[in-house]
Amino acid sequence: AKERGRNSYQFFTSDMNARALEHMALEHGMRRALERDEFRLAYQPIVDLETREPVGMEALVRWTHPQLGEVPPGRFIPVAEDCGLIGRLGEWVLTEACRQLSAWRREGITVQRLAVNISSRQFYDPQLVDRIQDILASSGIAPTDLSLELTERTLIDDVEGSTGILTRLHELGLEIALDDFGTGYSALGFLKRFPIQLLKVDASFVNDIALDDDDAALVEGIVTLAHNLGLKVVAEGVENLDQVHLLAGYGCDYAQGYFFARPLSAQQMTDVLLQGQGL
Ligand code: C2E
Ligand code: CA
Ligand code: CA
Ligand code: CA
């Protein structure tokens, strides 16, 4: 028994160590990557379901670690939140997104609006609103050209506080989108309270609408509810034409997903937009 106890203890610690080590490797790697400017942004179009034209795109951060290779943001963003690097990383993302948007505009390329993800700690940073204003001013981007994507989880952490921050951002002219809708614990009443203009229905609801009547009814209901509250709706994770037809039938406004385009590098996106061949 003693032996087994020791083994399971060792197993436990080595598992803990592996996680702690990964955390440390990612933290160290992110510090270095920030210094060396090694993060990049990928861009995925958001498409109008009526016209099939892009109405904007979402910026998604990308990072290739020298040893670990491509690390998905779902893995390193939480670590950046934990170790306090999210402020610097989030600021880099905003700055780079605005720089790229203004570069596209200089080349005469039309990009209506760029959406940027804002994580929780970044959102509650008292400097956020000022920093966004500075970044917009120095890149010559209008506040109405920028959309901020926040999750329900982030907003529900501090309903009073987040309402205040959102109100300031909205008054500046930024669009506010509720990301991953349906995955949080949102009491629907919150939707009315927050100054939000766009609802992004999480891919997990969209995936099976062509296969599962319950999912179909849910998404259709979300679209109706959102419209009644004066919000526009984006369906996330759209991968096939059946989904496109169903979503259009529900009156869903926009869609995003591999069916239209995968996230592309800035250069790939520039090529696609310049060729004007559509997506
Ligand atoms: P998200 O904001 O919900 O972003 C959408 C994710 O779905 C992206 O994953 C995108 O590549 C993926 N996706 C798009 N279309 C499809 C599809 O048709 N099928 C499937 N299976 N996936 C699709 P990605 O880039 O790995 O990002 C994951 C999450 O990491 C994002 O989820 C967001 O929460 C976070 N994230 C990404 N970039 C940033 C950033 O710059 N800042 C912050 N704070 N978070 C970010
Ligand atoms: Ca998002
Ligand atoms: Ca999402
Ligand atoms: Ca079912």
Side-chain angles (χ1 to χ4, degrees), residues 7 20 39 67 73 82 131 156 163 165 167 173 179 184 192 226 252 261 278:
N7 281 341
F39 288 101
Q67 281 85 43
D82 269 2
R131 292 303 299 128
I156 280 160
T163 305
I165 302 166
T167 303
D179 207 350
K192 198 176 64 176
C252 184

Side-chain angles (χ1 to χ4, degrees), residues 149 179-180 200 202 236:
E149 300 195 353
D179 207 350
D180 304 344
K200 299 192 78 172
D202 192 68
E236 300 195 276

Side-chain angles (χ1 to χ4, degrees), residues 44 58 61-62 73 93 117 119 179-180 236-237 239 257-258 263:
Q44 188 179 36
E58 176 176 1
V61 70
R62 294 289 178 263
V93 168
N117 293 284
S119 71
D179 207 350
D180 304 344
E236 300 195 276
E239 295 186 351
Y258 296 167

Side-chain angles (χ1 to χ4, degrees), residues 168-246:
R168 284 182 68 197
L169 291 166
H170 180 52
E171 280 169 2
L172 284 176
L174 285 97
E175 180 186 67
I176 311 293
L178 193 55
D179 207 350
D180 304 344
F181 181 73
T183 61
Y185 353 63
S186 78
L188 292 171
F190 280 130
L191 281 183
K192 198 176 64 176
R193 149 153 212 172
F194 293 121
I196 295 164
Q197 294 78 55
L198 193 68
L199 209 67
K200 299 192 78 172
V201 181
D202 192 68
S204 60
F205 295 96
V206 177
N207 286 338
D208 290 341
I209 53 171
L211 310 169
D212 186 327
D213 290 345
D214 295 340
D215 285 358
L218 260 172
V219 172
E220 184 169 18
I222 291 171
V223 171
T224 305
L225 172 92
H227 284 170
N228 288 340
L229 293 170
L231 310 179
K232 300 273 191 188
V233 185
V234 183
E236 300 195 276
V238 175
E239 295 186 351
N240 61 58
L241 190 59
D242 288 346
Q243 293 167 330
V244 171
H245 287 147
L246 286 168

